[in-house]
Each structure stands twice: as C-alpha cells, then as structure tokens.
Amino acid sequence: MVALTDLFDSYARQARLFPGLLTVFPPLLTVLAWFPQLLLSNVGTTLLTIAVSCGLLYALGSWARTRGKNIEGSLLKQWGGWPTTLKLRHAGPLNPLTLARYHDFLRQNVPHWLPPMPDEEKANPAKADGAYDSAVIWLKEKTRKRFSLVDKENAQYGFRRNLFGMRPIGIVVCALAAAASILAIYVQTTQFTMSAVWAASSAQKPEVWAATAIDFVALIAWLAVVNDRWVRQAGDQYADALLAACDQLTVKSRAAPRKRKKC
C-alpha cells in the first residue's frame, strides 16, 4: 500500500489534501453511520487501498488546489493585489520606518533591483507593483524551507484558499447529506404524525444523529467561516511572516547606494 507521505509532502497535505478531505468528510460520515458494515468489513480497507493506490486521494488534492487557484484571481482583484505587494507599497499599511528597512534590505540584496520612488509608484502603479512582485519572488526562494514560520503561514494560506475554492461543493454535499439523512428517518414512518416521527427518531442509532449533526455544523462552517475575509487574514499573516524574514536573512556587505541614471 502506498503511504500518504509518498504522495504528499507537509505542505501538500495541509494545503491540498485536507481541503479535499474536509469537503467529502460529512457525506462520507453520513454513509458510514447508515451503513456501518462498510467500515467494519474488509470493504472499507479495500476501498481505501484502492483509493490511495490509484491516486484518487492525489486527484482529490489536485482538484482542491485547482479550484483554489481558479478563485485566487478574483480574490487578488478584490484585494487590489498580493498582500506582500500591498505591504511593500509606499501607500501601504506598513510603518514608514519598517517599510524603509525592508526596501533597503531588498535594494542591497536583490540583484538589479531598486525600490520605486513614491512619485514613481503614484505615476505608474502597475510598474511599481511589478518591481515589488519581483522582489517577493526572490524573497520566497531565499526563505524556502529555511523559515518554519513562513512555511507554516504559507501552508495556512494555501489551505484556506483551496477550502474557499471548494466552498460551493462543500455547501451542496453537506446540505444533501443532511437532507438525505432526515428524509431516510422520515420515510421509515408510515404516517406523518408526531408520535410516528418520534418513534422513528428514537429507533435510530446515536451515530446517525451524530453524523447528521456534523452535516449541519459543517454546513454552518462553510457558510459563516469559509469566506474571502478568512482567506485574506491568512494572506496577510503569510505576507507579514515573509517580509519579516528581511530582518533575519544574512545581509550582504553594505555597498554604496546605487544612483539612478539621469535622463
């Protein structure tokens, strides 16, 4: 049997596989509550082995990532750009002294990079953002696998983004699982009376009601928790951790500031 660690590294498990599993978990739990023999027999083990061996779990994680990347474009348009880019702007939210320190570090270490001046940023925002994006790409490569906090925040952002991408599917499957479970209880009655409903409900095993409750809780979470603000929060936290690495990376020996050529 292929191990999950052979298919997914730490980032892929958290950011890709987990959103996919959380999407299918409530309906799967409902099925197992109604048909526990699937779990108690060798059928469940066989299905899991087939799922892993045939790459179905890998496909699930890849699907979650694809939906997350598809939704990312609209999120960036809504936010006005990457959180790291927004924070590197002169008109951004960072303290001026902190911003100057980050710009100074990047100017000294990123090859052929100069921070846009405030008037340049205002005159050509797209060009300025391109310069900031270039510096961030360099910074990502320098911090990759070296800063645990950056890696954790990056995985957290990927998890929330991909889960947000799976949100429409999660809402539908949770609603269907809960409705199917309630309907299955009802159809066991022969008359639509309170006594019949109570008799049917009392005959159900606790795990059936527990699974149904989880469906409703998951549905509420999809609707109330998983949203663009939740993803943006993770994006800001990742941006803060990534830019803070500027204060920890080894700085090259200070050279004389490069002067801009006069036109």
Side-chain angles (χ1 to χ4, degrees):
M1 180 176 176
V2 180
L4 289 180
T5 52
D6 295 331
L7 295 175
F8 303 96
D9 58 19
S10 177
Y11 173 86
R13 285 195 300 273
Q14 181 175 340
R16 300 175 186 176
L17 179 60
F18 290 171
L21 291 177
L22 285 174
T23 303
V24 301
F25 174 73
L28 180 60
L29 191 64
T30 301
V31 171
L32 292 177
W34 280 98
F35 306 101
Q37 61 272 20
L38 293 176
L39 185 63
L40 299 177
S41 67
N42 292 329
V43 176
T45 303
T46 302
L47 290 177
L48 180 60
T49 302
I50 294 175
V52 175
S53 300
C54 293
L56 295 181
L57 290 181
Y58 185 85
L60 181 63
S62 179
W63 182 38
R65 179 184 183 276
T66 298
R67 292 193 61 87
K69 293 297 289 185
N70 288 342
I71 202 70
E72 191 172 57
S74 61
L75 288 175
L76 294 179
K77 185 176 181 180
Q78 178 182 332
W79 300 343
W82 292 102
T84 43
T85 300
L86 300 179
K87 291 178 183 294
L88 284 175
R89 290 174 181 171
H90 291 281
L94 286 181
N95 176 282
L97 294 177
T98 303
L99 179 64
R101 189 171 69 251
Y102 291 163
H103 279 189
D104 187 52
F105 170 85
L106 295 172
R107 177 184 59 78
Q108 293 182 64
N109 289 272
V110 180
H112 312 294
W113 191 85
L114 287 173
M117 301 301 290
D119 55 343
E120 294 174 333
E121 179 180 296
K122 185 177 298 184
N124 195 338
K127 183 178 180 181
D129 284 352
Y132 297 139
D133 290 341
S134 177
V136 169
I137 291 174
W138 177 91
L139 189 58
K140 286 181 179 179
E141 291 301 319
K142 293 299 180 182
T143 57
R144 193 182 302 277
K145 304 299 182 183
R146 295 178 57 188
F147 291 81
S148 60
L149 180 59
V150 175
D151 292 337
K152 289 178 182 178
E153 296 296 352
N154 185 30
Q156 178 68 204
Y157 167 72
F159 169 79
R160 295 192 185 189
R161 179 203 63 193
N162 295 341
L163 199 62
F164 185 56
M166 298 294 285
R167 183 175 186 261
I169 298 172
I171 291 174
V172 171
V173 297
C174 284
L176 289 177
S181 198
I182 295 298
L183 181 61
I185 296 174
Y186 168 72
V187 296
Q188 293 181 353
T189 65
T190 56
Q191 296 180 347
F192 187 69
T193 62
M194 290 303 297
S195 60
V197 172
W198 174 256
S201 63
S202 60
Q204 301 306 319
K205 296 180 179 180
E207 54 266 29
V208 170
W209 286 109
T212 305
I214 289 176
D215 289 332
F216 280 109
V217 171
L219 181 60
I220 294 173
W222 283 116
L223 293 170
V225 177
V226 182
N227 52 46
D228 56 335
R229 296 186 302 277
W230 190 59
V231 181
R232 175 62 187 272
Q233 182 186 50
D236 284 335
Q237 291 171 349
Y238 171 55
D240 289 337
L242 182 62
L243 293 176
C246 292
D247 293 331
Q248 303 175 56
L249 285 169
T250 302
V251 182
K252 292 181 178 178
S253 57
R254 292 184 176 273
R258 291 174 287 176
K259 296 183 180 179
R260 298 176 180 270
K261 294 182 179 180
K262 296 182 178 180
C263 299

